[in-house]
Amino acid sequence: MNIMPTFVSSVMLLKIVIKLLVLLRLILVLIRLIMHVPCGRDTVVLLLYAPPNVRIIHSGHACNIEEERYTERVYTIREGETLELTCLVSGHPRPQIRWTKTAGSATDRIQDSSVFNETLRITRIQRHQGGRYYCKAENGLGTPAIKSIRVDVYYLDDPIVTVHQSIGEAKEQFYYERTVFLRCAANSNPPVRYSWRRGREFLSQGSDKGVEIYEPFFTQGETKILKLKNLRPQDYANYTCTASVRNVCGIPDKSVLFRLTNKTASPTIKLLVEDPIVANPGQTVILVCIISGGEPTPTLTWVRNTEELPKKSILKSDTLTIPAISTEDAGVYSCVASNNVGNPAKKSTNIVVRALKKGRFWITPDPYHNDDNIQIGREVKISCQVEATPPEELMFSWLKNGRPLRSSERMVITQTDPDVAPGITNLDIIDLKFTDFGTYTCVASLKNGGIPEISIDVNISSTTVPPNLTVPREKSPLVTQEGDTVELQCLVSGKPKPIILWSHADKEAPMPDGNMQTESYDGVLRIVNVSREMAGTYRCQTSQYNGFNVKPREAIVELIVLYPPAVEPVYTEIRQGLGRPFSLSCRVLRAHPSKVLDYEWKLGTRLLTVGQLDTRDETEYHIRALNREGYGAYTCDIKNEAGAGRCTFLVTGKAYAPEFYYDTYSALWQNKPRVYGFKLQWTQMNPNAVDRVMAYRLGIKQTGHQRWWEQEIPIEDNIQKGELLTYNLTELIKPEAYQVRLTPITRFGEGDSTERIIHFSCGKKKLFHCDFEEDTICMFTQDKTEEFDWTRHSAATRDTKYTPNTGPSSDRTGSKQGFYMYIETSRPRLEGDKARLLTPSFNVAPKNPYGNVATNPTYCFSFYYHMYGKHIGTLNVYLRQKSQTGQDTSVWTLSGNQGDRWRQARVNINPTSSFQMVLEGIRGSGIEGDIAVDDVTIEEGECQDPPPSNIRSLASPAAVHIWELCLTLLLVLAGLRR
């Protein structure tokens, strides 16, 4: 038998099979790479610098999320809940995030409480914290990315009822009309709705001819008035005002009760004190206010002007006690009584604290002669001024050489001059004689005593001459250095010596003490810690007080402040590779004096070069080729006689820090039950600034641990700017988080490190979850257009008359106390009746960080359902999109009895605009048809647990490894056969 042709055919067939097996092995290796089986370092030359992109998601206690025009979102939250907004950012380098807030009301115009964090969290949010919140991300590329969301805080305060009454005109001497208005008001957001009840009777417009209910014009939602016309006996009753915001955000209604009787009256009070009350400092002042009328019983409060009461005040019942009163405690004190009937009653008294202060004098030579000197035979006037409280108690008396002085023809004393201010007394000496020389004393006191007198002595003699001002030669110009203490001086001559007033002569600016003028009694102005801004000319001039009332004398003092040069840059870091040329430049911004400046360049302590700056304002130092000895701190000192300014340049060969890439697609993978892997990616910041990066030192440790594991990742070629580098981390233990540190290494040594945290996660972001445990049912709403509603229920509270053989006996977790939603199919429900439950609205954000992806994002909608009973109808799930008004898309449906257990349903959805999910329950043919749902969840990404036919389950890393072993064995056998 000739078997040669058969053998040749078999060999050729075997060769073909071997080639196919080799090709299949290559394909599987490629699949292995795609599935991220650890394979060491992988470098991909891909330029990934990208400007920032942001979107805002919420994870706090939102009542509702709505989209408005111009893509702005409104986040509604109840006062006292937790606001949590997260700014999801993409872009490379990693953008910096900043949260800012612009208030939503004109009274709270702008609050810039910046938060530099991805998540903005405000616990127990208050109404004033509502407004527009902005997330700003920037990384130096392009324009910053900004997204905003408006936060609307909902609240409802307790309502308040106020009562007012009007009485009509008398008719025929025996009839009059009395009308009572009950006004109900409550602060709220959104606007409140009011309802009234009299006893248990609900009042509405037209239900009682004697009752009228209305809202005043321009007060929509702010108040509601109940008008009782021509008051009748049945109108004396309990009135309840209920304020409601229709249970938005789960805010319950609030009520207030007011009892109207024939004794209802506005408050009246009596203040049992005099007005005004005049007290001496240190005394105790007691104010008593009693309630003389009012029903309900009024409440008393004390107020002082528009300020708070003194902290030492003692409040007890109707008495206010102010111990050890001082001038700061003076003012108008009011007792206010209120009971919400009519207007509050108010009584006030003025507390005056007696005091004398600021005694001054001045001398006026004869006003009829143009002469500033005092001369025998001419007139002289001495004026004395004191501030007194109360001013009407002020008394003056005059002494000459210690003896009382009375008004006469030549010594005229006046206390009330209409041409001068109150609190001034004048002594006119007419036809001055030699015997009039002496010391005149002005004594100020208050009528009832208790306050120390003020005495002012004025000497009139041949030596009493007008003032004169001079500046010592060495005191102007006065040269000092910045930071010193300096004294400007004006010498004042004359008798008596007046007060000296200091001010700026060359500009309108406050003095160092903050006032426009500074008083000095010795002519010296002392300035501590002089700054360059204080340089200039100062004016000293005489005051009319405690001196002559003549034209002011003045002098000028020039102050020159020397300060060392201010230079730039004060400090900068320069990174350079070996052998490269570069230059350093130090520039003078300002200096005094600035004509001749010396400079000095050093490297460490080694002097490099010196010189002078004549007309230039900068100096440069050039390095032709950097060597290892050229690394270090270069300093440039620019000097004048006041000191030196220094520029510092740190020249180093350290590489810049790597920049981690946070937008890696499918960075995390799992190839073993208890471990996971992570694709670590980064770019090198400014790789060409220094020598080539030869390797990276990788450090990794579990968070919370102290020990680092380190290894080096060698780099063979030059790294390009923006080049994405990849290293696969393997054998990471689930579900631990790890801290990763990456340090570049060059010929210079180690560069700057950068760190990040790696968390184990399934890669999905849970956007929404509801287990119906709260009364608000996670802001689900009922579709009122259908025949009936879904009901929140718990097996522990179930009615004993429930229908058997249908419905769950616990919630999805097996808890009898847990809640779920179900449709009750007992009578009067009919076959085909529908109940629809709607989720809150959700916003769609693009999956691609740059917002230009063609496909729509995918979400996984999952829930648990219980469909047990022989009459089970149908459970439908619809997708409702804002962009498709009136068109709900069916995404899941199930009918009939599914057994007495909870099952989970999952469905992928691809909305294109803001969306809601609709759960529709349809009654079957009988009463044993209760359908229940629980644990509703929406997550980013596709649903987990795909069908077995999915190619990803067949191409798992473990399966690939097994196939490789099998193919290798076949290749070996084939080789042996060959």
Side-chain angles (χ1 to χ4, degrees):
M1 182 177 180
N2 189 3
I3 61 170
M4 194 65 184
T6 304
F7 175 75
V8 172
S9 299
S10 300
V11 170
M12 292 180 63
L13 181 60
L14 182 60
K15 288 182 178 180
I16 293 173
V17 171
I18 291 174
K19 291 180 180 180
L20 290 174
L21 290 175
V22 171
L23 179 59
L24 184 56
R25 176 178 172 81
L26 292 176
I27 293 174
L28 288 176
V29 170
L30 180 60
I31 293 175
R32 175 175 178 171
L33 291 175
I34 295 174
M35 293 301 297
H36 311 297
V37 176
C39 56
R41 177 180 179 263
D42 178 24
T43 302
V44 181
V45 181
L46 180 63
L47 301 183
L48 276 184
Y49 285 120
N53 190 278
V54 298
R55 63 187 177 101
I56 298 174
I57 65 170
H58 62 90
S59 52
H61 299 160
C63 305
N64 191 23
I65 304 291
E66 294 180 356
E67 272 195 89
E68 287 192 345
R69 290 166 48 182
Y70 311 114
T71 69
E72 182 187 44
R73 283 182 292 165
V74 180
Y75 183 110
T76 305
I77 188 171
R78 180 174 173 175
E79 188 174 48
E81 299 287 0
T82 297
L83 170 70
E84 189 167 303
L85 302 175
T86 301
C87 192
L88 297 184
V89 62
S90 61
H92 189 73
R94 184 71 168 171
Q96 296 293 317
I97 295 176
R98 179 187 182 193
W99 282 98
T100 56
K101 179 214 169 189
T102 303
S105 64
T107 56
D108 190 18
R109 183 70 62 182
I110 291 179
Q111 296 177 348
D112 191 355
S113 52
S114 300
V115 178
F116 294 89
N117 200 351
E118 290 186 2
T119 300
L120 173 68
R121 181 181 175 87
I122 302 177
T123 56
R124 298 189 60 81
I125 191 169
Q126 300 300 306
R127 62 195 65 178
H128 69 272
Q129 293 173 305
R132 187 168 286 105
Y133 286 81
Y134 294 88
C135 170
K136 179 180 180 181
E138 53 186 338
N139 63 356
L141 299 177
T143 58
I146 301 176
K147 291 291 183 182
S148 69
I149 187 170
R150 201 179 82 218
V151 176
D152 202 0
V153 182
Y154 278 8
Y155 58 91
L156 174 62
D157 291 344
D158 291 328
I160 297 174
V161 170
T162 56
V163 181
H164 298 272
Q165 176 180 298
S166 67
I167 298 177
E169 297 179 359
K171 297 182 179 179
E172 300 180 5
Q173 305 300 319
F174 65 87
Y175 172 81
Y176 67 92
E177 178 186 273
R178 186 166 62 170
T179 299
V180 172
F181 299 88
L182 279 70
R183 179 192 295 264
C184 185
N187 296 320
S188 73
N189 182 33
V192 70
R193 289 183 182 176
Y194 301 94
S195 59
W196 284 97
R197 281 185 291 115
R198 179 170 54 196
R200 296 183 178 181
E201 175 191 6
F202 177 77
L203 297 176
S204 60
Q205 185 66 26
S207 62
D208 186 334
K209 292 183 178 180
V211 176
E212 184 179 343
I213 302 175
Y214 67 95
E215 293 181 352
F217 198 48
F218 291 133
T219 61
Q220 186 73 24
E222 295 178 7
T223 183
K224 197 149 194 173
I225 294 178
L226 182 69
K227 180 180 179 182
L228 305 176
K229 300 180 292 184
N230 191 17
L231 203 62
R232 304 162 300 177
Q234 64 264 34
D235 293 330
Y236 295 117
N238 291 335
Y239 290 87
T240 302
C241 171
T242 300
S244 173
V245 289
R246 300 158 301 284
N247 202 38
V248 296
C249 286
I251 299 175
D253 298 347
K254 295 187 177 182
S255 300
V256 60
L257 183 142
F258 185 87
R259 181 175 179 80
L260 181 66
T261 70
N262 57 0
K263 296 181 180 180
T264 300
S266 57
T268 57
I269 57 175
K270 292 181 180 179
L271 191 59
L272 304 182
V273 293
E274 297 179 354
D275 184 30
I277 299 174
V278 180
N280 289 332
Q283 287 184 344
T284 297
V285 175
I286 300 176
L287 306 179
V288 180
C289 180
I290 62 172
I291 299 172
S292 56
E295 176 67 29
T297 303
T299 57
L300 281 179
T301 55
W302 288 91
V303 294
R304 170 194 172 199
N305 298 341
T306 56
E307 309 171 37
E308 295 181 353
L309 294 174
K311 293 183 178 180
K312 58 188 175 183
S313 301
I314 301 172
L315 278 171
K316 187 176 180 181
S317 184
D318 54 3
T319 302
L320 171 65
T321 303
I322 308 173
I325 198 165
S326 63
T327 54
E328 290 78 14
D329 301 328
V332 177
Y333 287 75
S334 301
C335 169
V336 182
S338 175
N339 64 351
N340 292 337
V341 178
N343 296 319
K346 182 177 181 181
K347 297 288 185 180
S348 303
T349 185
N350 185 24
I351 298 180
V352 178
V353 182
R354 304 167 79 237
L356 286 174
K357 56 185 179 180
K358 287 190 178 179
R360 291 177 169 179
F361 76 91
W362 59 91
I363 301 170
T364 305
D366 190 348
Y368 302 104
H369 295 82
N370 189 17
D371 195 341
D372 292 343
N373 294 296
I374 296 176
Q375 296 186 22
I376 299 295
R378 294 185 179 178
E379 181 180 337
V380 140
K381 181 193 285 186
I382 305 173
S383 300
C384 178
Q385 183 185 45
V386 174
E387 293 184 10
T389 305
E392 61 270 15
E393 290 190 13
L394 178 62
M395 299 187 305
F396 286 108
S397 60
W398 285 90
L399 305 175
K400 179 183 178 184
N401 297 327
R403 296 180 179 180
L405 183 66
R406 297 181 181 276
S407 183
S408 62
E409 291 184 358
R410 276 198 333 105
M411 300 283 185
V412 181
I413 299 174
T414 58
Q415 294 192 22
T416 55
D417 189 344
D419 297 330
V420 295
I424 296 178
T425 181
N426 299 308
L427 171 61
D428 281 288
I429 305 175
I430 301 172
D431 189 15
L432 183 66
K433 299 182 181 299
F434 183 77
T435 56
D436 295 330
F437 288 167
T439 301
Y440 293 83
T441 305
C442 165
V443 180
S445 62
L446 295 180
K447 285 182 181 179
N448 297 321
I451 301 298
E453 299 177 338
I454 291 180
S455 297
I456 302 171
D457 293 332
V458 183
N459 185 266
I460 301 295
S461 67
S462 58
T463 59
T464 303
V465 294
N468 189 32
L469 284 180
T470 58
V471 178
R473 181 175 300 177
E474 69 276 6
K475 292 293 185 178
S476 183
L478 187 62
V479 180
T480 186
Q481 291 195 14
E482 196 169 38
D484 290 348
T485 297
V486 66
E487 291 185 348
L488 280 63
Q489 185 177 12
C490 279
L491 297 178
V492 57
S493 60
K495 186 178 180 182
K497 290 184 178 180
I499 297 174
I500 302 299
L501 301 177
W502 285 93
S503 62
H504 285 284
D506 56 350
K507 54 189 173 183
E508 286 288 332
M511 297 294 287
D513 63 358
N515 299 313
M516 296 304 293
Q517 287 186 329
T518 299
E519 290 186 354
S520 170
Y521 288 87
D522 59 0
V524 175
L525 175 65
R526 182 181 176 88
I527 304 176
V528 179
N529 193 18
V530 175
S531 66
R532 61 194 67 178
E533 292 79 13
M534 296 178 183
T537 55
Y538 289 79
R539 178 188 295 111
C540 63
Q541 67 179 28
T542 59
S543 166
Q544 71 170 8
Y545 300 116
N546 297 0
F548 274 74
N549 183 19
V550 295
K551 183 179 179 181
R553 273 59 168 170
E554 64 179 44
I556 298 297
V557 178
E558 184 182 1
L559 178 63
I560 299 174
V561 180
L562 305 181
Y563 54 89
V567 297
E568 69 172 7
V570 175
Y571 177 86
T572 188
E573 185 182 66
I574 297 177
R575 307 204 181 200
Q576 286 288 344
L578 292 172
R580 301 180 186 179
F582 63 95
S583 298
L584 307 176
S585 177
C586 184
R587 186 165 73 92
V588 179
L589 300 176
R590 52 192 173 276
H592 192 82
S594 59
K595 289 186 177 180
V596 179
L597 299 173
D598 298 326
Y599 65 81
E600 183 179 85
W601 283 92
K602 287 183 178 180
L603 172 57
T605 58
R606 179 163 60 94
L607 182 64
L608 300 175
T609 183
V610 296
Q612 281 190 345
L613 293 177
D614 296 328
T615 59
R616 299 172 298 155
D617 62 355
E618 66 178 339
T619 173
E620 292 185 347
Y621 185 76
H622 303 281
I623 294 91
R624 295 182 179 179
L626 181 64
N627 53 31
R628 287 193 174 274
E629 291 72 24
Y631 287 121
Y634 290 77
T635 58
C636 174
D637 291 333
I638 301 182
K639 307 174 184 177
N640 64 7
E641 58 186 273
R646 169 170 288 186
C647 296
T648 301
F649 306 88
L650 179 61
V651 178
T652 175
K654 290 175 60 176
Y656 284 99
E659 298 170 314
F660 282 119
Y661 185 62
Y662 287 83
D663 299 326
T664 303
Y665 181 73
S666 298
L668 186 145
W669 76 89
Q670 305 173 58
N671 55 355
K672 294 181 182 179
R674 297 183 181 180
V675 298
Y676 68 98
F678 189 86
K679 181 190 288 187
L680 188 70
Q681 293 186 306
W682 70 94
T683 61
Q684 177 61 42
M685 182 190 302
N686 298 332
N688 299 322
V690 296
D691 293 328
R692 184 180 73 83
V693 175
M694 299 182 296
Y696 286 93
R697 177 166 288 113
L698 172 68
I700 185 169
K701 70 170 184 176
Q702 287 187 21
T703 55
H705 291 215
Q706 298 296 323
R707 185 176 180 182
W708 287 87
W709 296 91
E710 292 188 338
Q711 71 176 88
E712 284 196 2
I713 305 172
I715 303 295
E716 300 298 334
D717 302 320
N718 291 334
I719 300 175
Q720 301 178 26
K721 184 175 182 180
E723 178 182 338
L724 187 65
L725 306 175
T726 301
Y727 188 83
N728 290 327
L729 302 175
T730 60
E731 305 299 321
L732 304 178
I733 301 173
K734 296 180 185 176
E736 299 294 334
Y738 288 85
Q739 186 174 354
V740 177
R741 181 175 62 205
L742 205 57
T743 307
I745 302 173
T746 64
R747 287 191 296 171
F748 179 85
E750 291 190 355
D752 293 338
S753 299
T754 188
E755 296 183 2
R756 69 167 294 182
I757 302 294
I758 293 173
H759 296 277
F760 174 77
S761 67
C762 297
K764 289 184 178 294
K765 178 69 176 180
K766 185 177 292 186
L767 298 181
F768 178 80
H769 174 76
C770 184
D771 54 11
F772 303 109
E773 296 302 316
E774 301 293 334
D775 291 339
T776 58
I777 60 172
C778 313
M779 302 309 150
F780 271 84
T781 55
Q782 306 277 1
D783 189 342
K784 297 301 182 181
T785 63
E786 299 299 342
E787 288 80 8
F788 68 114
D789 291 341
W790 289 76
T791 303
R792 179 173 174 265
H793 203 56
S794 168
T797 60
R798 185 164 56 184
D799 192 335
T800 56
K801 298 181 181 180
Y802 76 96
T803 306
N805 302 320
T806 187
S809 58
S810 67
D811 75 347
R812 197 276 301 178
T813 64
S815 170
K816 296 287 187 182
Q817 286 73 34
F819 286 86
Y820 52 85
M821 300 295 290
Y822 87 111
I823 59 170
E824 174 57 64
T825 58
S826 301
R827 295 173 181 170
R829 300 278 68 85
L830 301 175
E831 183 176 0
D833 283 357
K834 297 178 181 179
R836 283 189 158 204
L837 191 64
L838 282 67
T839 69
S841 294
F842 301 95
N843 280 75
V844 173
K847 184 182 294 184
N848 185 288
Y850 312 111
N852 55 2
V853 70
T855 59
N856 298 320
T858 300
Y859 298 90
C860 179
F861 177 72
S862 64
F863 61 96
Y864 283 84
Y865 62 90
H866 190 283
M867 300 173 68
Y868 169 58
K870 63 182 180 181
H871 301 139
I872 290 292
T874 302
L875 177 61
N876 294 320
V877 178
Y878 296 96
L879 172 65
R880 175 177 295 181
Q881 302 189 65
K882 185 176 181 180
S883 61
Q884 300 175 359
T885 306
Q887 297 180 3
D888 293 345
T889 304
S890 176
V891 295
W892 187 91
T893 184
L894 188 64
S895 300
N897 187 357
Q898 304 298 319
D900 187 12
R901 64 170 178 164
W902 287 96
R903 301 170 183 267
Q904 189 181 29
R906 296 185 178 189
V907 59
N908 291 325
I909 57 174
N910 298 93
T912 58
S913 63
S914 60
F915 67 95
Q916 290 176 283
M917 302 305 297
V918 181
L919 294 168
E920 180 185 68
I922 303 177
R923 185 188 187 270
S925 59
I927 62 173
E928 296 181 20
D930 295 352
I931 299 175
V933 295
D934 200 0
D935 282 351
V936 179
T937 302
I938 299 178
E939 294 178 314
E940 285 187 349
E942 295 184 352
C943 296
Q944 295 179 350
D945 301 329
S949 60
N950 193 306
I951 189 171
R952 285 178 294 178
S953 63
L954 294 177
S956 65
V960 171
H961 188 62
I962 293 172
W963 275 98
E964 285 182 327
L965 292 176
C966 294
L967 287 175
T968 303
L969 181 60
L970 287 174
L971 289 173
V972 171
L973 293 174
L976 292 174
R977 176 70 179 270
R978 183 177 179 183

